[in-house]
Amino acid sequence: MTNPISVLGRLLDRSHDFEAEIDRLLGGADYRLFDKCARTVCSAAACQVSMEHGQGLRALIVAGLPTAAVSLTRLQHEALTRSTWLLYAAGDDQIAKLMGPLTKETEKAANKLPMMKTMLDDLAGKAPAGAVDMLTHFKDVNAPSLHSFVHGGIHALQRGLTGYPVDLLENVIRSSNGLLTMAGMMLAILSGSEGTAKRMSKIQPTFQDCLPALISPGT
């Protein structure tokens, strides 16, 4: 039986290069936010969570844990949607619920924040239309299958029994990289640098071999 990791090796390597280039464009350790207001800081923190899920996804695939990897795609998308919502649509009182010290009281308050559908509805007409369209498209195409993976449903069980086709894992990696593209642009916007945002907007053609035509894991 062919080892899927050996087949996916080049795609994983290119994905690593892609992430490294995003980090370089953002300035690496010298990256700075446009300002230190709660909205900016909170949005950036959610964006970093999304990027970490993407890193974890690739690490899990290399470790031979594809079910956990696919599940992280949903978390990556949700954190990115949250980041976008926090920047463009959240009220100051909603941001305050996430920025206080972590206590039982603040946890309870934060749990009342809008979930996916409401956030996407809130973003309409406020965030860039292209970003809203991509986030909404991802949800519409992938929500049922990713829900199944996250909650131990038929997708998770059947793939565990029958295995994961290489092309499915390829699509998952590409989709994750598509979300990473959006996260990179979010951080570029949050830096306040038009030059950084312009350079980030041109990154896709160089790395088209590890990106999707559409953001969809095809599960």
Side-chain angles (χ1 to χ4, degrees):
M1 179 180 296
T2 303
N3 181 355
I5 301 306
S6 64
V7 177
L8 295 172
R10 173 167 171 73
L11 179 57
L12 289 166
D13 287 343
R14 286 292 288 163
S15 300
H16 176 77
D17 293 342
F18 179 54
E19 182 182 44
E21 178 63 8
I22 288 176
D23 183 64
R24 186 188 72 80
L25 291 177
L26 291 172
D30 294 326
Y31 174 78
R32 296 292 183 272
L33 295 173
F34 174 69
D35 59 35
K36 295 184 180 181
C37 76
R39 183 178 300 274
T40 302
V41 172
C42 201
S43 176
C47 197
Q48 292 285 2
V49 169
S50 178
M51 297 179 83
E52 183 174 326
H53 287 319
Q55 294 170 343
L57 181 149
R58 295 194 304 275
L60 286 167
I61 288 178
V62 171
L65 301 170
T67 302
V70 175
S71 299
L72 278 182
T73 313
R74 172 170 164 170
L75 304 187
Q76 186 181 1
H77 172 255
E78 290 188 358
L80 179 59
T81 302
R82 180 74 73 188
S83 172
T84 309
W85 176 80
L86 286 166
L87 180 61
Y88 291 105
D92 291 341
D93 59 327
Q94 293 171 314
I95 292 172
K97 291 177 181 179
L98 291 171
M99 291 298 289
L102 182 56
T103 65
K104 290 187 179 297
E105 290 72 24
T106 57
E107 179 185 24
K108 184 177 180 180
N111 284 339
K112 296 179 181 179
L113 289 172
M115 301 308 290
M116 179 62 63
K117 183 181 184 305
T118 302
M119 287 193 294
L120 290 172
D121 289 344
D122 287 349
L123 283 168
K126 298 176 182 176
V132 179
D133 288 345
M134 286 188 283
L135 291 169
T136 302
H137 176 78
F138 185 99
K139 174 185 176 294
D140 291 345
V141 171
N142 299 295
S145 58
L146 292 180
H147 181 85
S148 178
F149 273 105
V150 169
H151 295 284
I154 188 171
H155 282 265
L157 298 182
Q158 286 299 315
R159 290 303 180 192
L161 291 170
T162 63
Y164 285 77
V166 171
D167 61 347
L168 187 153
L169 295 178
E170 287 180 345
N171 286 338
V172 167
I173 295 169
R174 292 179 187 277
S175 295
S176 176
N177 290 341
L179 295 173
L180 179 60
T181 303
M182 296 180 65
M185 179 55 71
M186 277 293 298
L187 289 177
I189 292 169
L190 289 166
S191 76
S193 168
E194 292 184 8
T196 299
K198 185 176 181 179
R199 289 188 290 273
M200 191 68 71
S201 71
K202 297 179 179 180
I203 194 175
Q204 292 181 334
T206 302
F207 292 93
Q208 192 56 55
D209 57 332
C210 68
L211 290 168
L214 291 172
I215 300 176
S216 168
T219 55

